[in-house]
Amino acid sequence: MNAIYLIKFGEISLKKENRNFYEKKLKSNLRRNIEARNAQIKYTDGRFYVETPEENAPQIEKALSRTFGIVGFSRTRRVQKDIEIIKRTAKKVVETLQTENPALAGTTSFKIEARRTDKSFKLNSYEIACEIGDYLMDQFEGLSVDVHSPDIKIYVEIREEAFIYGNPSRGPGGLPVGTAGRGLLMLSGGIDSPVAGHMMAKRGLKLDCVYFHAYPYTSEDALNKVKELAKILSPYIGGTNFFVVPFTETQLRINERALPQEVTLLMRAGMVKIAEILAHRNRAACLVTGESLSQVASQTLESITFTGSAAQMPVFRPLMGLDKEEIIQRARAVGTFETSILPYDDCCTIFTAEHPLLKPGMERMWNSWNSLEIEQLLTQAADKTERHYVHPIFGYDTSQSSE
Amino acid sequence: MKPIYLDWAASSPMDPELAPTMVKLYTHSYGNPSASHSFGRIAQKILQETREKCSVLLQVNPDQLIFTSGGTEANTLPLLSLLRRSSGGEIVLSAFEHAAVYELGSLFREKGFQVKEVKPDANGIIQSEEVRRQLSPATVAVAVMQVNNEIGSIQPIHRISQEIRRFEADNSTRIHFHCDAVQALGKIPVSPEGSGADTMAFSGHKFCAPKGIGLLYSKNKFPPLASGGGQEFGVRPGTENIPAIWAFGEALEKRFHYMEAEHAHSIRLRDRLILRIEEIEGAEVFPKSRTNSDKLGNGKWADLNYSPYIVALNLSPVPGEICARVLNDRGIAVATGSACSSNSKKKRGRVVYSVTADEQITQGIIRISFGPSNSETDIDTFAKTLQQELQLLRKTVRHSR
């Protein structure tokens, strides 16, 4: 038996003149996220359906809940256009809803939403609703009709066959990844940056990830941790390129020439500059960071003014107005939290000053920057950057590793 | 360049001479020692003979030796058994016990016990008076390790047990004294009975036996944690791993046979290391006082306060972790902190921190541990490489201060 899901879009159905563009993108995103799992996308009567063998259903549901642009999806039962069979199926749908959500068991209200596009079916919509409603009232104790705000909604559609489904599961919402263009996420091993990537992907950005590796000052373990974070993000962003920048020489030059209290800021500026070079090379038009206002010294208004001025392209910082606790909640929901809190540091303590600048002046910082004479090292770092492709389903391809 | 292995305290290479017989035992003598047919009898015989052999080497009764799956299990069984014998009370642990013992503390706390810690002195040694200070009529158990696995210090186990027994007599109480001797067996003299401990834990892979086999000395039997077929006097049920048990006995016999020679060899390596380290700017032996003590000891093991097999080096302000990484890239394997906990930031450094209470020194430690197959050339190569790398790393650190 196959499992069938009816997919619901939210916002994209509002964008009338572009609807086709959004739908096409969603469809191709969805295809990449599920097709390797032996699932098919079908489009009938202005609706998307996903059909898959029963044993794949849990994985497909997971993929649906991670494909931006989907606001909801309902497990749909397809049966013969026979009212007796339809009634029994409606009963099953109620049972499933109640097992999945115990709050719907016991005393609950319900409503039947019936629709008949096949006018040759002998009952009209109203009659279908009455028949099934009466039957369900007989079958379940504590079930009552409420046509205005029911707890359970059973949808019955009579088309080429009969389709029956209940309340939809929540999808991730947002816009299909790629509809807003391409960005480069500056990914570290912390809690914040994966969340920032998730948030921007939700607004339709297609993202690649960049990590700055300062071996031996940061460990292979730290690199692998960030690699794992990119892998967790990958299903949300329809696969991603994970770039590893060899950052040691840049780091050492900054460390050697700059005042200790300026090191972190100059390092951040260097990262932004390298990220911008890579973004240009990979047709990305913006950078994304996990910065949150005043969370640390390098994220004060003055610090961000400086590090942000290192880039010409826009730098998106979706966590700007969130508290740490809110970010942690989101990280848990995205599934990156447990990996982010692994102990491997992505910045060596010897490069972190005890008293970093909190309110750097622009002129002072750019003068310091110029004295680093570092542009060539930045280009070199970008040139030596390794690329790893992360497939949304299969993760890293171990046979292909660098470019 | 051939890689140089200086992490024997984490694990030693298995003696290759053991392998052929082990394979034969696995493939031919596969009977269950509890079975009464000939296959089982053969296995039973090997088990008995090995237990006999170990009992002679350790000068204890055969029925006081229980084979386990390794050091962690040998440490865990007697201590966790307290949960069946006592309904509460106080447990005294040294602050630098191996995680296998130390981490049991939180379980005991959970179960309503009070856990007290004994801090080492500045030389990294647990003094018996400090243990005595923590005892109370409510004390049910004390655990102090013989050789510390990260810094090599040797605890005065005999004096500690004397303090405990005296306290028992004065207060008519009964205290279980457990000693983790995993880093001691096969390297320095170990006397389960003479130590006065109630239980003592050993591990095979620290002295060239295979991994997955350990030994527990227990003066008296205690209630087991697991139920099952009653093997190992009921204390550790489960079908015995005969090939590994055999190998444990063989390796132990070999270590005892060569102990004086290997000990002398290790002292030569240690002396050479200390000499070389004195020439390296930014590196010193930890604890610093150790160099005097070791020279005083003059190689006579009865006088030693530190195992000559383990030397901790303080490289601060250079983080030991980074230095170990660089050394690894140059083909030299050393440890930072305790290898068993080096992937956990919170637990890392507990041992050294308990001695110095200095965060920077704690971060700046690497551990060198040798074995019989290391040579003085290994030490020289290590020291030369360390000197080169440390010079570069110190430059980086200097800039950032």
Side-chain angles (χ1 to χ4, degrees):
Chain A
M1 201 188 77
N2 280 354
I4 302 168
Y5 296 91
L6 169 67
I7 313 297
K8 289 203 160 154
F9 311 147
E11 207 171 341
I12 70 166
S13 51
L14 299 174
K15 301 198 182 290
K16 285 223 161 59
E17 65 277 27
N18 289 325
R19 179 167 175 160
N20 206 18
F21 164 69
Y22 283 92
E23 280 191 4
K24 259 172 112 172
K25 200 75 197 175
L26 178 57
K27 210 172 148 183
S28 72
N29 289 351
L30 193 52
R31 183 169 295 135
R32 195 175 31 217
N33 284 354
I34 65 174
E35 256 188 2
R37 298 223 190 269
N38 194 16
Q40 259 114 46
I41 301 170
K42 292 183 175 165
Y43 188 72
T44 10
D45 291 345
R47 286 151 181 249
F48 273 130
Y49 289 91
V50 167
E51 191 168 345
T52 187
E54 182 62 41
E55 65 268 24
N56 291 349
Q59 289 170 327
I60 294 302
E61 282 176 27
K62 205 169 172 187
L64 292 175
S65 69
R66 290 177 176 186
T67 305
F68 290 118
I70 294 175
V71 289
F73 53 92
S74 316
R75 176 72 189 265
T76 305
R77 290 163 203 267
R78 182 175 55 185
V79 295
Q80 271 174 287
K81 286 183 273 188
D82 173 327
I83 191 67
E84 289 309 313
I85 297 176
I86 294 171
K87 283 196 288 198
R88 285 203 299 275
T89 311
K91 183 188 170 190
K92 269 190 217 155
V93 171
V94 175
E95 282 167 354
T96 312
L97 282 175
Q98 291 185 330
T99 355
E100 282 169 4
N101 182 1
L104 296 177
T107 312
T108 340
S109 61
F110 82 110
K111 178 192 183 182
I112 309 288
E113 290 269 12
R115 224 166 60 136
R116 184 185 60 154
T117 49
D118 171 11
K119 303 293 179 195
S120 70
F121 192 69
K122 59 183 186 300
L123 302 173
N124 67 26
S125 304
Y126 179 73
E127 290 163 340
I128 298 168
C130 290
E131 279 261 342
I132 302 172
D134 286 345
Y135 175 75
L136 291 180
M137 301 265 280
D138 279 350
Q139 296 294 318
F140 295 92
E141 252 177 71
L143 208 59
S144 63
V145 176
D146 180 347
V147 291
H148 300 295
S149 54
D151 300 316
I152 294 176
K153 265 190 186 180
I154 303 295
Y155 300 82
V156 179
E157 292 174 11
I158 312 294
R159 300 206 302 269
E160 68 286 0
E161 284 173 281
F163 293 85
I164 301 110
Y165 57 91
N167 305 8
S169 310
R170 272 173 67 97
L175 298 169
V177 161
T179 54
R182 204 177 181 97
L184 183 59
L185 169 66
M186 297 174 70
L187 190 61
S188 73
I191 296 167
D192 304 344
S193 52
V195 175
H198 182 264
M199 286 175 78
M200 292 320 297
K202 187 171 182 177
R203 294 311 299 164
L205 262 191
K206 173 87 187 151
L207 289 174
D208 289 328
C209 306
V210 59
Y211 172 65
F212 296 86
H213 189 38
Y215 188 85
Y217 301 97
T218 56
S219 66
E220 289 295 321
D221 291 332
L223 168 63
N224 289 333
K225 168 183 168 185
V226 185
K227 229 173 151 177
E228 178 61 25
L229 288 172
K231 191 175 152 189
I232 300 171
L233 276 181
S234 157
Y236 294 101
I237 51 184
T240 188
N241 288 305
F242 178 59
F243 294 106
V244 183
V245 179
F247 195 61
T248 312
E249 284 182 53
T250 308
Q251 177 88 70
L252 289 178
R253 172 70 65 86
I254 295 169
N255 184 59
E256 189 186 310
R257 297 207 183 170
L259 294 168
Q261 63 270 32
E262 292 178 347
V263 163
T264 305
L265 285 167
L266 294 170
M267 180 189 81
R268 303 276 313 176
M271 288 177 176
V272 167
K273 279 179 174 282
I274 295 172
E276 193 172 41
I277 298 173
L278 292 170
H280 277 306
R281 290 182 188 176
N282 292 280
R283 300 185 316 283
C286 65
L287 302 178
V288 178
T289 77
E291 289 160 312
S292 163
L293 192 60
S294 298
Q295 191 189 95
V296 291
S298 64
Q299 296 176 14
T300 62
L301 178 56
E302 293 81 358
S303 296
I304 286 175
T305 305
F306 166 64
T307 55
S309 71
Q312 304 297 312
M313 48 178 66
V315 181
F316 292 139
R317 304 175 180 92
L319 309 187
M320 237 339 125
L322 296 185
D323 291 345
K324 196 76 194 182
E325 208 38 58
E326 295 170 303
I327 299 171
I328 287 173
Q329 268 176 28
R330 285 170 190 257
R332 285 188 197 277
V334 177
T336 49
F337 182 74
E338 295 300 323
T339 305
S340 287
I341 58 170
L342 290 174
Y344 318 115
D345 290 329
D346 51 32
C347 184
C348 180
T349 47
I350 64 178
F351 299 125
T352 48
E354 247 168 84
H355 303 290
L357 289 183
L358 291 171
K359 294 174 183 290
M362 288 285 269
E363 209 187 311
R364 164 190 177 163
M365 289 313 295
W366 283 115
N367 284 338
S368 303
W369 175 265
N370 291 332
S371 68
L372 298 175
E373 300 172 292
I374 205 170
E375 301 295 334
Q376 203 193 340
L377 289 182
L378 302 184
T379 321
Q380 274 172 16
D383 290 346
K384 289 187 202 154
T385 293
E386 275 182 27
R387 183 180 74 95
H388 305 265
Y389 177 66
V390 200
H391 188 276
I393 297 173
F394 305 117
Y396 291 93
D397 179 356
T398 40
S399 61
Q400 164 259 13
S401 64
S402 63
E403 180 180 79
Chain B
M1 194 185 79
K2 198 169 142 271
I4 297 175
Y5 188 72
L6 296 174
D7 198 15
W8 290 62
S11 193
S12 64
M14 189 180 93
D15 184 343
E17 288 177 12
L18 300 174
T21 309
M22 282 184 76
V23 171
K24 234 169 78 189
L25 291 173
Y26 272 120
T27 50
H28 295 293
S29 311
Y30 46 78
N32 189 321
S34 304
S36 53
H37 47 58
S38 62
F39 294 84
R41 292 273 161 76
I42 293 170
Q44 179 64 245
K45 189 162 171 266
I46 297 166
L47 176 61
Q48 272 175 4
E49 283 173 2
T50 307
R51 202 191 306 279
E52 283 283 340
K53 181 192 281 181
C54 293
S55 75
V56 171
L57 293 170
L58 294 170
Q59 297 173 324
V60 297
N61 292 329
D63 67 356
Q64 290 175 319
L65 293 180
I66 296 140
F67 288 106
T68 67
S69 68
T72 297
E73 195 185 25
N75 275 315
T76 305
L77 288 178
L79 290 172
L80 277 197
S81 169
L82 286 170
L83 295 177
R84 294 188 66 168
R85 284 179 281 161
S86 319
S87 50
E90 293 177 6
I91 311 250
V92 178
L93 304 176
S94 90
F96 64 19
E97 285 301 294
H98 186 276
V101 172
Y102 188 81
E103 298 297 324
L104 291 176
S106 54
L107 178 61
F108 279 113
R109 285 191 188 96
E110 223 172 81
K111 295 290 173 195
F113 287 79
Q114 215 198 321
V115 179
K116 292 175 163 180
E117 284 182 24
V118 186
K119 290 237 179 313
D121 64 14
N123 300 320
I125 290 165
I126 302 287
Q127 297 297 349
S128 54
E129 307 83 70
E130 289 304 310
V131 176
R132 167 67 189 83
R133 227 187 292 279
Q134 297 298 332
L135 299 180
S136 86
T139 307
V140 291
V142 176
V144 179
M145 70 201 321
Q146 187 165 0
V147 174
N148 181 275
N149 55 313
E150 293 189 35
I151 62 173
S153 63
I154 300 173
Q155 319 322 310
I157 295 303
H158 181 65
R159 282 209 299 279
I160 292 170
S161 70
Q162 281 180 321
E163 287 285 0
I164 292 171
R165 299 308 168 216
R166 199 171 305 135
F167 185 89
E168 278 180 334
D170 294 349
N171 294 272
S172 326
T173 55
R174 174 75 191 99
I175 298 173
H176 184 105
F177 179 36
H178 175 75
C179 176
D180 168 2
V182 163
Q183 296 290 351
L185 188 62
K187 295 170 183 173
I188 63 167
V190 169
S191 164
E193 214 175 77
S195 74
D198 292 289
T199 47
M200 213 169 208
F202 310 108
S203 169
H205 74 110
K206 307 292 188 190
F207 57 85
C208 304
K211 286 151 192 75
I213 186 70
L215 184 68
L216 172 66
Y217 157 77
S218 185
K219 197 155 81 182
N220 305 301
K221 302 281 174 301
F222 57 82
L225 294 175
S227 337
Q231 292 92 338
E232 299 300 294
F233 317 106
V235 172
R236 200 273 184 180
T239 302
E240 301 88 341
N241 183 354
I242 296 301
I245 287 172
W246 172 85
F248 185 100
E250 279 295 301
L252 189 63
E253 188 173 41
K254 222 166 172 178
R255 294 286 84 73
F256 271 71
H257 187 258
Y258 294 114
M259 194 179 285
E260 273 192 59
E262 288 179 354
H263 194 269
H265 175 68
S266 145
I267 283 181
R268 271 198 304 280
L269 297 184
R270 181 208 63 194
D271 288 348
R272 192 160 187 109
L273 177 64
I274 290 177
L275 210 69
R276 290 277 172 273
I277 292 303
E278 277 171 2
E279 297 161 0
I280 299 176
E281 203 191 330
E284 62 183 31
V285 172
F286 178 86
K288 214 175 164 181
S289 53
R290 172 172 179 171
T291 38
N292 311 327
S293 161
D294 277 343
K295 275 172 195 160
L296 271 178
N298 212 15
K300 280 273 188 286
W301 60 34
D303 305 329
L304 289 180
N305 288 320
Y306 300 90
S307 162
Y309 287 87
I310 297 175
V311 179
L313 300 179
N314 169 13
L315 311 178
S316 66
V318 171
E321 191 190 333
I322 294 172
C323 194
R325 221 174 272 150
V326 174
L327 288 170
N328 178 56
D329 289 344
R330 305 244 349 229
I332 301 172
V334 304
T336 50
S338 174
C340 299
S341 62
S342 71
N343 57 3
S344 145
K345 192 179 183 179
K346 255 193 248 156
K347 291 167 194 165
R348 192 191 303 164
R350 170 175 55 81
V351 169
V352 174
Y353 194 80
S354 74
V355 180
T356 64
D358 180 318
E359 192 63 49
Q360 202 173 65
I361 293 177
T362 304
Q363 302 247 334
I365 296 289
I366 60 173
R367 176 189 70 187
I368 315 303
S369 53
F370 359 84
S373 64
N374 285 126
S375 66
E376 285 172 271
T377 321
D378 290 349
I379 300 300
D380 290 347
T381 310
F382 161 73
K384 211 174 105 192
T385 315
L386 178 69
Q387 186 163 31
Q388 290 164 355
E389 295 298 340
L390 204 52
Q391 204 179 355
L392 296 173
L393 291 171
R394 281 171 64 79
K395 213 175 104 193
T396 305
V397 173
R398 206 162 42 239
H399 279 300
S400 63
R401 307 275 146 184

